[in-house]
Amino acid sequence: ALSPRIYWLLPLVEKSAFETAVSVLTVLGATAIIPVVCQKVHRSKLTDKDRDRLHRLMISASEQSKQFVFPHIESTIHFSDLETILTHYKNASRILFALDGSPSRELANTLEANPPGEVIAMIGPEGDLTDAEYNTLYHEGFEGFALTPSVLRSELAVTIGMGLLRSLL
């Protein structure tokens, strides 16, 4: 397994985008993926069929990348239960990739000054997070960092965000 451990709060976006994000997180060595039901998502759970397909995708992604430690896909949580799940990751640096965040170069400076042993990261879903969800994340200690000056599709934000984290850490 790669170090540091990186956990992703991944909104339960549309199926193909979620599958792409899971493949990328497998290739880049995520430790765990926690599917999150946000206010602006249209799915509320992963079925057993979805989990089987994700497992097959992770096998394929790991074979291509030679990254043979799969991320664990946790149970789906509702955003309202976020505080409860975050108690399990109380020592992790909390990073939110958001359009209104600080420039990514500041993330590089932050991580260089204080390299974390664990990171928990999140992106917003298609359609973004609500103001209340942003406020909750910032209240829970998440720091916002912008990946680009434009709005990205969720699977692209995961790709760039995870790549950035792995390259900086």
Side-chain angles (χ1 to χ4, degrees):
L2 296 176
S3 184
R5 292 179 301 278
I6 300 177
Y7 309 97
W8 272 87
L9 293 166
L10 186 60
L12 207 49
V13 294
E14 61 99 4
K15 187 176 180 177
S16 66
F18 192 83
E19 289 175 350
T20 299
V22 168
S23 290
V24 166
L25 292 172
T26 300
V27 167
L28 294 175
T31 305
I33 300 166
I34 304 132
V36 180
V37 177
C38 301
Q39 196 165 354
K40 295 183 182 179
V41 299
H42 301 290
R43 298 190 320 160
S44 61
K45 65 178 181 175
L46 290 175
T47 65
D48 288 340
K49 184 178 176 183
D50 293 332
R51 287 183 177 279
D52 288 343
R53 177 156 169 76
L54 290 171
H55 185 73
R56 288 191 307 274
L57 287 170
M58 289 190 300
I59 290 170
S60 177
S62 70
E63 287 174 346
Q64 289 177 331
S65 66
K66 308 296 186 233
Q67 172 60 295
F68 295 112
V69 178
F70 290 178
H72 178 71
I73 299 180
E74 302 282 347
S75 298
T76 302
I77 65 162
H78 288 268
F79 193 91
S80 59
D81 298 325
L82 188 66
E83 284 182 56
T84 304
I85 196 77
L86 288 176
T87 61
H88 299 303
Y89 304 100
K90 61 183 171 223
N91 296 324
S93 293
R94 298 174 180 191
I95 296 170
L96 173 65
F97 292 109
L99 189 60
D100 65 347
S102 302
S104 294
R105 70 181 159 277
E106 290 185 28
L107 174 60
N109 294 337
T110 299
L111 296 176
E112 184 178 347
N114 190 12
E118 298 180 317
V119 173
I120 188 161
M122 184 170 185
I123 56 148
E126 307 292 340
D128 209 3
L129 296 166
T130 64
D131 289 342
E133 289 168 334
Y134 274 116
N135 289 337
T136 298
L137 289 167
Y138 291 132
H139 176 74
E140 289 296 327
F142 279 79
E143 290 185 70
F145 296 97
L147 294 169
T148 68
S150 60
V151 176
L152 300 173
R153 290 191 49 94
S154 56
E155 68 270 29
L156 187 54
V158 167
T159 302
I160 294 170
M162 184 64 172
L164 183 63
L165 290 172
R166 276 292 173 226
S167 67
L168 293 172
L169 295 170

